[in-house]
Amino acid sequence: MNLPPDYQPEFESIKDRLLEVAQIHSVGTLLKRVVNALMERPHVALAQIWLVDKCDKHDSCPMRSECASQQTCLHLAASAGRVHTEFGKKKSAAEDIIQRIPIGFQTIGEIAASGRQVIVKDTDVVQAAAWLAHLDLIHRRGIHGFNGQPIVFHGQVLGVWAVYTYIPTPEQSPSWLRIFADHVAVALVNARAFEENERLKAQLELENTYLREEVREAKSFGDIVGESGKLRHLMRQVDMVAPTDATVLILGESGVGKELVAREIHRRSQRADRPLIRVNCASIPKDLYESEFFGHARGAFTGALKDRAGRFEAADGGTLFLDEVAEIPLDLQSKFLRVLQEKQYERVGEEKTRSVNVRIIAATNRSLKKEVDEGRFRQDLYYRLNVFPIEVAPLRQRKDDIPLLAARFLKHAAQRLKLRVPRLTRAHVTELQSYDWPGNIRELQNVIERAVILAQSGSLHFDLPVAGHPADVLIPVLSEKLEAEDGQILTEAEIRQRERNNILAALTRTDWKIHGPGGTAELLGIKPTTLISRIKKLGLKRPA
């Protein structure tokens, strides 16, 4: 390459930087490295890089009136320079420069619009430097040259870099600057592709993790089953709202199958080929809420050893199901409102604003209106969620569905437990329909699963509470002197098997909750420590 003698040393010194930037896989690191490399030249006063991106400030942008497209503009992405040191610690380089420049406006914007470099003479440098916050710096610090280069890849302008120098700029831009700009364009495209691949990889890992959880739960619950009028009305509502992107609020008692309704809405939507990510808002510790939903940057807090995408990012393009949405802490509800309204959020410990395209389906067994009235739930968030409410009727109001549900659960339980399928008679169905099912479909499933286990050596029998007795006194602990129903004394091995089946049935009914109200220990009438000891002794393990 034939370069003027004065520029040959500079070109030789920049060659090492070309190889260096080509190996950088982070856009932020790449841009910082470029402006710092430009600042290594003693005659450079300021180096800046803007990238073309979507307009993100809208009403708050001071340059909105100058922005012709209202769609894309130049975002300041990196800046370094000696001129800023004069201001001490008052302002950073980024704060001293206008953050958004409309494409086609002033010198920087014209470079992005035309895709052509701009070389400014000494006498015209003030006009070119209009985006310096303090124009008097140009005179006081002796800035005499401006060189603006478009960052172009395959004919598309990706951004603009600008270099302000202490020396006058020649009529023709030095060849090495144009070469460097072309290499930066290639490196920028590669870094963006690498980051996108890493993002998709992380999202896929998250989807696989969350979907494995969904599959485990789906296996034990089945699809929506029934033919009652209540269920037909519910499915008509699902058919109406599923093809839209409207936010849905599913209401109903615990155990009625709200999650199945959410899955069905997603399955019938235009997002069916994208993930459905479910999160139980009651199961997340308060101090991990932001990280769980929005993700975090490495080093954001103790234990944050690497960047992590949150569930909003994992559900991007798909559906996010917020189960037990009333449990979101009040002081964090504003962050959820923002991402629902603006589709934007930041990871914990990161300033970068991310956009997300997610449909929200929420569910609760509580009255959100009452929660609002009592000050535990934001009214604006309630209105944002309550766009299309769907109420799932309790099982006692749709007893016509019990025969189909019982048959389905009987078959699934036998297959999962690798046991024979017991015969379900008309008398069994009548017995099941005569009970009010305070635990709804989940209780029905647990009762049938326990009946399948206990029917290994006999006929099917449902252990339902007798009228007038508490509904939770269902599973007595078997003693060593337990007598069989036909009057025969059980052997020690039979007693142990009965006890094992009994405890396993209780654990299944409570979803393996050991302690507290509604837990297995309370159901069996024993201490939690005693129950834990028996679980270990019997070798019981929670199903995967």
Side-chain angles (χ1 to χ4, degrees), residues 395-431:
L395 187 57
R396 61 183 173 274
Q397 294 180 11
R398 37 180 291 216
K399 291 188 176 181
D400 290 346
D401 295 332
I402 288 179
L404 292 176
L405 287 167
R408 170 70 67 88
F409 290 149
L410 202 67
K411 179 180 178 182
H412 284 183
Q415 288 177 345
R416 189 168 63 83
L417 298 171
K418 296 180 174 57
L419 300 172
R420 68 177 182 86
V421 181
R423 180 169 173 262
L424 184 67
T425 66
R426 184 178 297 275
H428 289 139
V429 171
T430 301
E431 181 184 4

Side-chain angles (χ1 to χ4, degrees), residues 191-215:
R192 281 177 168 174
F194 183 84
E195 286 187 344
E196 178 66 8
N197 287 339
E198 289 297 300
R199 185 190 71 81
L200 292 174
K201 178 182 176 182
Q203 182 177 354
L204 183 60
E205 290 175 353
L206 280 172
E207 288 177 13
N208 287 339
T209 299
Y210 298 145
L211 289 175
R212 278 196 295 269
E213 296 174 3
E214 300 300 317
V215 168

